[in-house]
Amino acid sequence: MMRNIVLIGMPGCGKSTVGVVLAKTLGTGFTDTDLIIQQREKRLLQNIIDTDGLEAFLDIEMNAILSVEDKGSVIATGGSAVLREKAMKKLAEDGVIVFLDVSPETLAKRLANIRTRGIAAPSGQSIEEIYSERIPLYRQYADIVLKADEQSVEKTVEKLIAELNRIQ
């Protein structure tokens, strides 16, 4: 039985996009924990953060991750999943954790709409600040670190499959 492939990284690094293509390529299921949260809460991520606050959102996110029962699937997490150790332990139990590393410069270009996107961070925090705060956690939890700047989704998926084959 194949383990889950869990994608972590900053908002805008391509977890959902790469995840869908990877799942199609491997013929597996795909789960996006941000979508689980929105379906459960019947609200957009940004609305939850604005209304309930950051800590409450992180707990909601953790509970969504703890509820995932996937086996042999691709799982895209929210960028803030690494802020809850219990969530990451669960994901690591039956998954290979892949950090899609994208530079703050590339993220800034991709996240021109940062305030509507549902990024779990204190208001007013820059992409660079969020990145430097989270990068040690992404690296700590990752089994595979994949640079995902300046290349197509297909190329990222190709590199990722090669890495997965190398470590299994």
Side-chain angles (χ1 to χ4, degrees):
M1 181 73 218
M2 189 179 99
R3 294 171 70 199
N4 289 328
I5 300 165
V6 180
L7 304 178
I8 64 170
M10 284 286 288
C13 75
K15 297 178 298 289
S16 298
T17 312
V18 168
V20 167
V21 175
L22 181 63
K24 283 183 179 177
T25 306
L26 297 175
T28 66
F30 173 73
T31 299
D32 187 319
T33 61
D34 281 349
L35 296 179
I36 292 174
I37 295 166
Q38 289 188 166
Q39 286 161 350
R40 278 189 170 183
E41 297 291 315
K42 300 183 177 26
R43 299 183 281 165
L44 297 176
L45 302 177
Q46 191 62 53
N47 178 268
I48 298 167
I49 295 163
D50 292 345
T51 310
D52 300 16
L54 182 57
E55 288 302 313
F57 173 80
L58 293 173
D59 288 339
I60 289 168
E61 179 177 46
M62 179 184 70
N63 289 327
I65 289 169
L66 295 176
S67 77
V68 173
E69 297 293 329
D70 293 26
K71 298 283 177 247
S73 285
V74 176
I75 301 170
T77 62
S80 53
V82 292
L83 299 176
R84 287 287 185 265
E85 187 181 1
K86 192 173 177 185
M88 291 308 298
K89 279 192 168 143
K90 159 89 163 83
L91 292 167
E93 268 169 31
D94 38 44
V96 177
I97 312 276
V98 179
F99 168 34
L100 295 182
D101 190 9
V102 172
S103 73
E105 297 73 33
T106 302
L107 294 170
K109 276 184 236 157
R110 293 183 187 176
L111 292 175
N113 62 341
I114 184 168
R115 286 300 153 230
T116 58
R117 203 174 150 135
I119 295 177
S123 88
Q125 215 180 24
S126 71
I127 295 291
E128 289 77 12
E129 290 166 330
I130 298 167
Y131 182 85
S132 59
E133 186 178 276
R134 292 183 187 173
I135 192 98
L137 292 170
Y138 292 137
R139 291 193 187 285
Q140 173 192 328
Y141 290 115
D143 297 307
I144 296 172
V145 176
L146 197 66
K147 285 299 281 174
D149 283 284
E150 312 307 322
Q151 64 191 8
S152 68
V153 170
E154 289 73 16
K155 189 77 187 152
T156 302
V157 168
E158 203 178 289
K159 280 184 173 176
L160 179 48
I161 290 172
E163 277 299 303
L164 289 166
N165 289 333
R166 194 180 62 74
I167 67 166
Q168 288 182 355

